[in-house]
Amino acid sequence: MNKVLLATRNQKKLIELQRILDGALGAHRVALIGLDDVDAYPELPETGLTFGENALIKAREGCRRTGLPTIADDSGLAVDALNGMPGV
């Protein structure tokens, strides 16, 4: 079984993405693990200018630190009426 790191400590995200992967690929073809399942490493500052860039920073660092293929996300609020604030 292939392991993939989801760069999060959010158990609900892990469960939901595992359910989606199982439905798409067949049950238990990919074992999704989270940051609590690997040796701890310091998280890099989110220096990207976009949510996508920050997700890429997290994914690359997870892969570098663990050797596992890594998926990451970054999100927040960007409100048009507030000129995109609070944003990234």
Side-chain angles (χ1 to χ4, degrees), residues 2-5 33 35 38-39 41 58-71:
N2 296 315
K3 286 185 183 179
V4 174
L5 175 64
I33 62 173
L35 291 174
V38 298
D39 292 339
Y41 60 86
K58 293 177 192 180
R60 286 181 172 158
E61 186 67 2
C63 185
R64 187 177 78 77
R65 295 286 188 153
T66 67
L68 294 170
T70 303
I71 300 168

Side-chain angles (χ1 to χ4, degrees), residues 11-55:
Q11 291 300 310
K12 290 182 181 181
K13 280 186 184 180
L14 284 163
I15 291 167
E16 181 64 12
L17 187 53
Q18 185 69 64
R19 184 187 65 76
I20 292 167
L21 289 172
D22 288 350
L25 304 174
H28 308 296
R29 299 223 19 202
V30 172
L32 196 61
I33 62 173
L35 291 174
D36 290 337
D37 301 311
V38 298
D39 292 339
Y41 60 86
E43 294 181 32
L44 294 177
E46 295 180 359
T47 57
L49 298 178
T50 66
F51 297 125
E53 287 176 4
N54 284 336

